[in-house]
Amino acid sequence: MKERLDLYPVNNSILNDAIDRIVVKLHGLNKKNGAKTFLCTGAGANGGTTTVALNIAISLAEAGWKTVFLDCDLRKDQRFKRIGTEAKTSLTGFLTGEVSDYNNIIYNTSVDNLDYVFSGEKNENPVRLLCNAKMETLLSRLKKSYDFVIIDTPPVSITNDAEILIPVVDKYLIVVCMNETTKKQLVDSRIQLGDYEKKFAGIVANKLGIMQYKGAVKDFDYFSKKNLLKKQNDAIERKKGK
Ligand SMILES: Nc1ncnc2c1ncn2[C@@H]1O[C@H](COP(=O)(O)OP(=O)(O)OP(=O)(O)O)[C@@H](O)[C@H]1O
Ligand SMILES: [Mg+2]
């Protein structure tokens, strides 16, 4: 019996609302085109791709969709992954042939409907591993068993790992970090992945300040308890004043 991985969903309603906006788009693509495998990459390093990808997976799972999160960042050691559980089996193990049954690299998590595949040991030659025909086999098997497969990859500005995987996924997203990712990085990423324009699902603007978010989604707090109470009290006051 494999260990269960503890994941902690975000408790911030604004952040959850922002993630749900992405999930609505993915859900639409799933319904419209049957898209199931979504790859997330960054236009620059440290912009929040992994955080966004994991929270998309949690949100889909919490909505009742059978979801698996596939960590395809083979360049980072497990100890830099903010995950407490040590992976005994992993994607690397499957791709190198050490683990023959893909079911053995799938871990349950504390979030209902969400499973997790660890990347495994840091690998010196991820390009060759990701090009491996087994990767395609794995994705087609996961597609049969899950409603959604969310794939996390390193940024395109540093590696071409995402570029290797995009041909074998349905759609991809680019995460940019507001106030950090440069316009050039974003343009370069779009050019680099230009051959796969039909698979491009959009850009996620991450790490917006609250005022920037308000600028993008004006009445994002319209349904907050505080706002609704104020509306209710104003209406009562108006009635009293009649
Ligand atoms: N929306 C956000 N608000 C605040 N902090 C965030 C947000 N998104 C990510 N972070 C923080 O930014 C840091 C980098 O996040 P993360 O590891 O997800 O980035 P990444 O793009 O996957 O990095 P890498 O390029 O190394 O793969 C983490 O400390 C994470 O907690
Ligand atoms: Mg990452």
Side-chain angles (χ1 to χ4, degrees), residues 10-11 16 24 29 31 57 66-67 94 98 110 115 117 133 142 151 154 156 166 176 221 231 238 240-241:
V10 175
N11 276 327
N16 277 334
V24 168
L29 289 170
K31 292 293 155 212
K66 200 163 178 249
T67 307
F94 178 75
E98 204 179 295
S110 50
D115 288 345
V117 175
L142 293 177
I151 302 154
V156 268
I166 289 173
V176 299
D221 55 354
K231 256 187 105 178
R238 269 199 308 277
K240 277 187 193 161

Side-chain angles (χ1 to χ4, degrees), residues 50 73 76 152:
T50 303
D73 184 348
K76 227 181 259 160
D152 179 37

Side-chain angles (χ1 to χ4, degrees), residues 15 44-52 73 76 82 152 154-155 206-207:
L15 220 59
N46 207 35
T49 305
T50 303
T51 310
V52 168
D73 184 348
K76 227 181 259 160
R82 293 180 279 145
D152 179 37
N206 192 32
K207 299 198 195 178

Side-chain angles (χ1 to χ4, degrees), residues 133-149:
K134 283 187 181 156
M135 189 69 207
E136 206 169 337
T137 312
L138 175 67
L139 285 173
S140 66
R141 301 236 167 104
L142 293 177
K143 256 176 120 161
K144 286 195 184 111
S145 325
Y146 291 88
D147 298 312
F148 287 95
V149 183

Side-chain angles (χ1 to χ4, degrees), residues 27-77:
H27 183 255
L29 289 170
N30 174 266
K31 292 293 155 212
K32 197 170 148 212
N33 309 321
K36 279 187 162 195
T37 46
F38 291 90
L39 179 145
C40 299
T41 188
N46 207 35
T49 305
T50 303
T51 310
V52 168
L54 189 55
N55 282 291
I56 290 174
I58 290 174
S59 176
L60 284 165
E62 285 182 341
W65 299 104
K66 200 163 178 249
T67 307
V68 61
F69 178 87
L70 191 55
D71 180 355
C72 286
D73 184 348
L74 308 183
R75 294 176 187 264
K76 227 181 259 160
D77 234 322

